[in-house]
Amino acid sequence: MSSSNDTIFALSSGRPPAAIAVIRISGPMAGAALKSVIGRVPEPRKGAFARIRDPKTGELIDEALALWFPGPNSETGEDTAELQLHGGRAVIAATLAALSAIDGLRPAEAGEFTRRAFENGKLDLTAVEGLADLVMAETEAQRRQAFRQMKGLLGERAESWRQKLVETLALVEAGIDFSDEGDVPANLIAPAIAAARSLAEEINRALADAGRGERLREGMVVAIAGPPNAGKSTLLNRIARREAAIVSPYAGTTRDVIEVHLDLDGYPVTLLDTAGIRESQDPVEQEGVKRAREHAKAADLVLWVVDASESAPVNHDFGREQAVWQIVNKADLVSLKNESGVTQNDRNGGKFTPNRALPNVVNKWLTERNESVFSSNEQVFILSAKDGTGFDALLTALGKQAEAWLGGEPALVTRERHRQVLESAVHALERAASKDVASREDLVAEELRSAAHCLARLTGRVDVEDVLDVIFRDFCVGK
């Protein structure tokens, strides 16, 4: 990024046209910029009516609300101004052009306002990441997690751990530096090692969440797979409640993977419609089948869709243990009622168990499946994606699966970077408490310093230049 001495400006609200647009200005010349376009600097932190004019021609551009936040008591920690004007494209373009004409001002780069807040101590790095996640949040669960992170859920805990490490390190270094002093207690290493072990256990507990925080950021991935013409695209469209995929009676219509993002009971779910899996001589279809297998293998849940009117099941084998639900589709083509006129979906919440009164073709399918690759983590649903029979039971089960996969107490660790840094800190603490090191005060002190350095990297106190550009490149301009 360019120099932090520059004064920057950008549109900070959504894409025009809109009722209101917000243009932010931050830097040492923010006050001078206000004087140039509205003729004065308003009273701090109070909205003021203003007429925006082109500083070169004096032409009136718009009537707006102006706000002034002198540093360091501002979001970025430096002089900051906001113009809240009408959100038409022409109004915004003319105002940005007027600001560009002022010497010393330049358009902001992506994430530059937030980066300045970080550099001026208004946010630590975990809060910055939480803010980025909050901007990108698509579901209620993602919003809650991101907001807690932005408000210091991990950052405050990490700073508490770092302070404990500093106190522990002080014990060891006192024993090293003042061993000849009469008022320094002997054997300070034992309580320091005990503290290191306790802290390692505490951090390990935060890490023992099976990646739940990272999973919530990314969402649960559900792949719809199966043989051609089983109704996979119809099922995708019914779950998505829109025509996201082309539906055709001809096998092999879907060649590439179609991706749909859903909010399922407040949890993020990515639904993948894949090509029908079969042997083919068509090189394009072969590539589609290859991609279908790869996405199914990587998914968190596979909905294996088959045609209820077909007699022979198609085995699935993706090379790893994962949740696979059997979807017996096209129930509208077969009779699913028993002697009492009650469907298995009604009696069993949408899950299917073999019943001698059901059509032989369906019984044969399930019997072969149970005797071959049906496993304990599979569920079976009979439905018609075309007319909706049995669909509600599947949707309810998907919501519960998303909650089980992504829900629970707020996760401290929400990014792979957090996990790696904390694991490094734990390893340093474990080395400090090991038998090979515990007898050497200088080595214990070095490992404790290493652990403290890791925690400082987590919050951005030290040595994080290599990760800053990666973090801020995903921010939008004006944030």
Side-chain angles (χ1 to χ4, degrees):
M1 288 190 174
S2 303
S3 171
S4 59
N5 293 323
D6 297 339
T7 298
I8 57 175
F9 65 90
L11 175 68
S12 292
S13 52
R15 181 179 300 176
I20 299 294
V22 177
I23 292 177
R24 302 172 72 194
I25 310 166
S26 183
M29 289 191 59
L34 277 181
K35 288 182 180 178
S36 294
V37 295
I38 70 170
R40 61 195 174 92
V41 176
E43 188 177 345
R45 288 172 291 282
K46 289 187 178 181
F49 174 79
R51 291 184 172 90
I52 302 174
R53 297 182 181 275
D54 187 312
K56 289 187 175 180
T57 65
E59 180 185 0
L60 180 64
I61 297 174
D62 194 20
E63 293 181 340
L65 187 69
L67 295 104
W68 169 242
F69 305 95
N73 298 318
S74 69
E75 184 178 356
T76 62
E78 55 192 16
D79 289 350
T80 304
E82 280 190 5
L83 296 172
Q84 299 180 8
L85 52 151
H86 293 99
R89 289 188 176 89
V91 174
I92 294 170
T95 305
L96 294 177
L99 292 172
S100 297
I102 301 173
D103 291 337
L105 269 67
R106 64 167 176 83
E109 299 177 20
E112 193 166 4
F113 287 97
T114 305
R115 184 161 184 166
R116 291 190 176 195
F118 165 71
E119 291 172 344
N120 291 323
K122 295 294 182 178
L123 298 170
D124 70 32
L125 202 53
T126 62
V128 168
E129 291 166 323
L131 176 58
D133 291 342
L134 187 63
V135 171
M136 299 301 292
E138 296 181 342
T139 71
E140 181 63 15
Q142 287 178 319
R143 181 200 64 78
R144 287 196 301 266
Q145 175 171 282
F147 185 77
R148 289 186 179 103
Q149 198 70 279
M150 184 184 71
K151 300 305 289 184
L153 182 66
L154 177 59
E156 291 176 2
R157 185 75 63 86
E159 182 59 22
S160 171
W161 290 335
R162 194 185 70 84
Q163 288 296 334
K164 290 180 182 178
L165 266 176
V166 169
E167 294 169 4
T168 303
L169 183 59
L171 287 177
V172 179
E173 291 184 336
I176 295 173
D177 296 338
F178 305 105
S179 57
D180 296 333
E181 300 291 334
D183 57 348
V184 176
N187 193 22
L188 292 175
I189 194 70
I193 290 175
R197 287 198 183 103
S198 175
L199 191 55
E201 291 173 359
E202 187 176 346
I203 297 175
N204 266 326
R205 285 194 294 272
L207 290 168
D209 61 357
R212 182 164 44 83
E214 296 101 310
R215 289 203 306 265
L216 182 55
R217 287 187 66 247
E218 301 298 328
M220 184 175 75
V221 178
V222 179
I224 302 177
N229 210 26
K232 299 184 296 297
S233 296
T234 304
L235 180 61
L236 174 93
N237 290 343
R238 182 164 286 277
I239 296 175
R241 293 187 172 88
R242 62 185 177 88
E243 297 298 314
I246 297 174
V247 175
S248 167
Y250 302 103
T253 301
T254 302
R255 297 296 183 93
D256 207 349
V257 176
I258 297 173
E259 186 173 304
V260 176
H261 296 278
L262 304 175
D263 180 341
L264 201 59
D265 294 338
Y267 295 100
V269 174
T270 300
L271 205 61
L272 306 178
D273 181 24
T274 63
I277 296 177
R278 67 173 177 179
E279 297 297 326
S280 174
Q281 300 302 314
D282 183 342
V284 177
E285 187 173 3
Q286 286 177 349
E287 179 62 25
V289 171
K290 177 185 174 183
R291 294 185 183 186
R293 291 188 180 278
E294 289 174 349
H295 280 82
K297 182 178 180 179
D300 304 311
L301 171 66
V302 176
L303 303 183
W304 183 258
V305 183
V306 297
D307 187 338
S309 64
E310 296 291 333
S311 59
V314 180
N315 291 347
H316 59 78
D317 182 10
F318 305 121
R320 74 177 181 90
E321 187 70 19
Q322 63 188 149
V324 180
W325 292 0
Q326 307 293 333
I327 310 299
V328 183
N329 191 26
K330 301 189 180 181
D332 53 303
L333 300 182
V334 296
S335 173
L336 297 177
K337 296 195 178 235
N338 61 18
E339 294 94 334
S340 302
V342 180
T343 67
Q344 282 294 324
N345 283 24
D346 295 332
R347 292 175 53 185
N348 203 25
K351 299 177 185 177
F352 180 73
T353 54
N355 184 301
R356 59 182 177 80
L358 293 175
N360 289 334
V361 63
V362 179
N363 272 324
K364 181 175 184 295
W365 186 92
L366 262 183
T367 300
E368 292 178 1
R369 175 64 65 182
N370 285 335
E371 292 176 354
S372 55
V373 297
F374 188 83
S375 63
S376 59
N377 68 347
E378 292 180 324
Q379 295 189 60
V380 181
F381 296 85
I382 291 182
L383 56 84
S384 169
K386 182 178 180 181
D387 65 20
T389 300
F391 173 75
D392 289 344
L394 173 63
L395 199 61
T396 299
L398 281 173
K400 291 180 179 178
Q401 182 76 0
E403 182 179 9
W405 183 251
L406 304 172
E409 291 298 315
L412 274 177
V413 179
T414 60
R415 291 178 177 239
E416 180 63 22
R417 185 186 78 87
H418 303 164
R419 190 169 298 278
Q420 291 177 353
V421 172
L422 289 176
E423 286 175 348
S424 297
V426 168
H427 293 158
L429 289 168
E430 289 174 343
R431 288 193 299 269
S434 66
K435 293 180 180 179
D436 295 337
V437 174
S439 59
R440 292 278 306 275
E441 292 177 333
D442 56 335
L443 295 181
V444 171
E446 182 59 32
E447 295 296 354
L448 293 177
R449 276 191 289 269
S450 177
H453 185 81
C454 289
L455 295 177
R457 278 183 58 85
L458 182 64
T459 57
R461 285 178 170 270
V462 295
D463 191 24
V464 291
E465 287 298 322
D466 55 331
V467 301
L468 289 182
D469 289 339
V470 175
I471 291 172
F472 285 105
R473 73 184 178 192
D474 294 329
F475 271 76
C476 53
V477 173
K479 191 62 181 172

